[in-house]
Each structure stands twice: as C-alpha cells, then as structure tokens.
Amino acid sequence: MSAPRHDVIVLGLGGMGSAAAYHLTRRGYSVLGLEKFGPAHDRGSSHGGSRIIRQSYFEDPAYVPLLLRAYELWEQLSVDSGRDVHSLTGGLFVGPPESTTFAGSLRAAQEWGLTHEVLDAADVHRRFPTIRPEPGQLALYEAKAGFARPELTVAAHLDLAARAGAELHFDEAALTWTDNGSGVRVTTAAGEYRADQLVICPGAWAPDILADLGVPITIERQVMYWIEPSGPADRWADMPIYIHETDAVEQIYGFPAIDGPAGGAKVAFFRKGVECTPETIDRQVHEEEKAQMRHRVQRLLPHLDGPVLDSATCMYSTTPDHNFVIARHPRHSAVSVACGFSGHGFKFVPVVGEILADLVADGRTDHPIGLFDPTRMAQL
C-alpha cells in the first residue's frame, strides 16, 4: 500500500525547513517534513544557543526590507509559540571608519532611515564598560539588534507546524528525490513519498542534494566559544551584541552572558573557517584554537579573559558571492530551494519560511529576492 500523497514535502527541518513547514501548514497545505536527524539537532547550522539579529545590514542594504518583515515574524512567532525565541539587547558594529562592519552598517541605516547612533571609541567604553574599541575606531549602535535562540526557534516552528497538521518524520534521511512533471517523489530507507511540490532546505548537505542547481556551495567548519568573563556580573548580562573588525579585515562577533556569567559569554570568528563536508568535519575544538580566540577577543573585551568553558562546531554553506539562494529550482518547476546562507542567514528564518510558502502557492513572492536567484552564478 503506497503512502498518501501530500501537497508539499519539506526536505530538511532545520532553521529554514521548520519555518517553511510552519508557514505552509498555516496556509492549509498538507505537509510532510523529512529530517535526517532529530528535532532541533546540533549537527548542522541551527544550534549554539544564540544567533545575532540586526537591521543595519553591512552585507548589502538590499537585505533590509526582508529584515523588517523578519522582525515582525519574530514577534509573531514569540506570541504564537509562547517562547522567548528572540531578545533585543542593542548591537555595536565596530571597526575603522572605512571598514565594512562600520561603514556598511552606516550605509544601510542611512539608506533605510533606521534609528542608529555613531559612537567613537571613548563613547562606547563609557556606555558599555566591558567593551574597549581601539583608538580611532567607530561604532554604529542599533538599539533594535539582539539575538535569536536557534534551537528554541526550530522547536517552536516544528511544534506549531505539527499542531496545525504537518506530518513530521525525524531520523529519516532522503536518499533520492525526483520531479517527474506530474509531481515529486522522495525515497527514504522507510519508503517512497509523493507530493505535488517539494521544498528543499538542505543546509550543509546542499552540494549533494542540489548537485544540479548550478551553484557552487562551499561547506566551512566554524567554531563557537563560551569564555568566562571577569568583573561585575550585571555588566556582562546587560551588554549589547557586537561585531568587531580590525585593520586586517578580521571580524569577530559576540553576545552578552545570556545565561549568566557561569555559562560564559559566547564569541566566534566570522568567516574564518576551513573547508569540510558534513561527513569530514572535525567536531573537536583544539587548544590552539581556544588560545587564538581568547587572544583575539581581548583586543575588544580585555576582561573576557577567563578560560573557555565550552565550545562547539557548526557549518557555513557559502556561495561565491556570499548571497543566499532562495528560488524555484531553475530545472524543476515543482521544486523550491533555500540554501547557501553563507553564515548570515538565521536572522531571516521566519521570512524565508514565508517566502517558500509564497513560491509553493504562487510560484513567486512579493518579497525582493532577485539577489538570491541561482542563475546569477552564470554571470560571475
């Protein structure tokens, strides 16, 4: 006896896939979700306790309209789920005046009329005593920046999707998928499933699952660290999130001690990974890596000087231009894809789910996603 046919199969239930399942079920679609691991797992890119959210987007001001909608959906998800999936702490984007981190953030804030302040190094240290930029550096302060909790976000979307009728299968990896012109088929070790449409949110498994997409995606190992701070506990709990760039164009990012000083303050390098695959990633964090992180962070936070209390790895799935891929598959009209989030995608999770639901419903979206068209790679 064959399995019942669904309206949509969602392949991958991490950050983007869980949001897609939620938005599709809200619109009345019959949804089957398939996930290689368990719910809200730590094997991909949607874990680690916190992810920065911000609107003054130094990567490209074109992302700002999506962020404004994402913020509305973060609020909606908090209300609908009853979970504190995000918090606003304020954010500092610090670097030399011409740096991407500062100048790019300022450009986005000015272009979109976002509320912000420009602070010099002394201003920053007076307001936030734990943070001490180098003389001559500037900071853009955005009060609406903060962090999302990735595991809670994924769990919230999954729970709401299941409550609305989605059928979710965990620990069931897809072996193959096909689009035969009259629908899609996905095969797993447990059987074969059919649907009218397929949404693929593969994370670091994109190079294999979407081999015919025409987008070269590099998988990179990244490391997150939790370091014990010194000094008054309230200073570390009340500080903003931050991104700091040096003259050498090296960026780190970090968070308050969101679970109390005993849990450490999280910090990491941005775009300082090594290439890997999901099968070959080194999950061990080595002592020399911890020492390098402790040394680097003290250039901005001299009192974040205790031992590394914990560490974890995750993966970036990076496109050549660091922009996302969100589109109908150029070769398969019944397939929509979301991948290549290049280390800066989690803040968009709610709106990506909404966009994928639009693509399923109408084959298009009113959201500005031209930047994410996979066919752009032919022009690079």
Side-chain angles (χ1 to χ4, degrees):
M1 182 176 178
S2 62
R5 185 179 181 120
H6 292 80
D7 296 329
V8 189
I9 296 173
V10 178
L11 187 55
L13 295 173
M16 306 304 173
S18 63
Y22 164 63
H23 281 278
L24 286 163
T25 53
R26 283 189 74 225
R27 298 190 191 190
Y29 287 94
S30 166
V31 173
L32 170 65
L34 296 173
E35 169 55 52
K36 181 183 182 75
F37 302 105
H41 63 81
D42 64 356
R43 310 309 291 170
S45 305
S46 298
H47 62 280
S50 56
R51 290 290 187 275
I52 285 176
I53 58 175
R54 53 192 167 93
Q55 295 181 352
S56 301
Y57 218 59
F58 61 73
E59 287 85 348
D60 191 322
Y63 283 84
V64 173
L66 294 176
L67 288 163
L68 296 176
R69 177 56 178 159
Y71 265 57
E72 294 174 349
L73 292 172
W74 281 115
E75 290 289 343
Q76 180 180 317
L77 181 61
S78 294
V79 172
D80 290 349
S81 68
R83 304 187 189 206
D84 293 327
V85 294
H86 77 305
S87 297
L88 300 185
T89 61
L92 286 169
F93 312 119
V94 187
E98 70 283 359
S99 65
T100 297
T101 302
F102 171 75
S105 299
L106 181 61
R107 175 190 169 204
Q110 291 176 333
E111 184 169 321
W112 289 98
L114 304 175
T115 301
H116 67 282
E117 299 175 66
V118 173
L119 308 176
D120 64 21
D123 294 332
V124 170
H125 187 56
R126 275 193 297 269
R127 286 179 59 172
F128 309 105
T130 57
I131 302 174
R132 185 174 293 172
E134 299 168 23
Q137 293 188 338
L138 296 176
L140 181 136
Y141 177 73
E142 178 190 326
K144 287 189 175 181
F147 64 88
R149 290 192 175 269
E151 292 93 342
L152 277 181
T153 298
V154 173
H157 277 135
L158 292 175
D159 289 349
L160 289 168
R163 196 181 307 168
E167 181 182 340
L168 306 178
H169 293 195
F170 298 99
D171 299 306
E172 187 173 346
L175 302 177
T176 63
W177 64 268
T178 57
D179 172 12
N180 59 20
S182 61
V184 299
R185 295 175 184 261
V186 177
T187 302
T188 75
E192 182 179 87
Y193 304 98
R194 297 174 297 131
D196 296 331
Q197 296 195 57
L198 176 64
V199 172
I200 303 179
C201 303
W205 288 263
D208 291 331
I209 296 174
L210 293 171
D212 66 343
L213 184 60
V215 180
I217 295 177
T218 301
I219 309 306
E220 301 172 358
R221 170 185 179 270
Q222 304 290 332
V223 183
M224 302 169 280
Y225 306 84
W226 287 260
I227 299 176
E228 184 176 27
S230 60
D234 58 343
R235 288 185 177 180
W236 293 99
D238 297 337
M239 64 181 284
I241 60 92
Y242 58 88
I243 301 173
H244 179 231
E245 182 175 336
T246 65
D247 291 328
V249 198
E250 178 187 70
Q251 291 170 302
I252 62 169
Y253 65 92
F255 301 81
I258 62 177
D259 296 314
K266 179 182 168 185
V267 64
F269 287 103
F270 185 50
R271 303 203 190 286
K272 196 178 176 66
V274 296
E275 289 190 25
C276 67
T277 70
E279 293 72 35
T280 63
I281 182 174
D282 181 2
R283 298 278 182 183
Q284 180 182 356
V285 179
H286 303 278
E287 291 303 318
E288 58 269 25
E289 294 179 295
K290 297 176 184 179
Q292 183 184 37
M293 186 76 260
R294 291 182 71 252
H295 175 74
R296 169 63 179 86
V297 74
Q298 287 172 40
R299 294 184 62 174
L300 183 68
L301 291 89
H303 298 293
L304 192 54
D305 55 358
V308 174
L309 301 174
D310 197 6
S311 57
T313 59
C314 70
M315 290 178 282
Y316 286 0
S317 305
T318 302
T319 64
D321 61 5
H322 294 175
N323 291 317
F324 309 158
V325 176
I326 310 173
R328 285 280 202 175
H329 195 299
R331 293 183 175 87
H332 304 283
S333 61
V335 180
S336 301
V337 300
C339 61
F341 288 94
S342 304
H344 62 112
F346 198 87
K347 60 186 70 64
F348 296 89
V349 156
V351 73
V352 171
E354 184 172 70
I355 290 167
L356 289 168
D358 289 345
L359 294 177
V360 167
D362 304 317
R364 59 172 299 279
T365 181
D366 289 333
H367 289 296
I369 63 169
L371 191 63
F372 312 140
D373 186 338
T375 62
R376 72 185 188 271
M377 291 296 135
Q379 303 169 11
L380 294 179

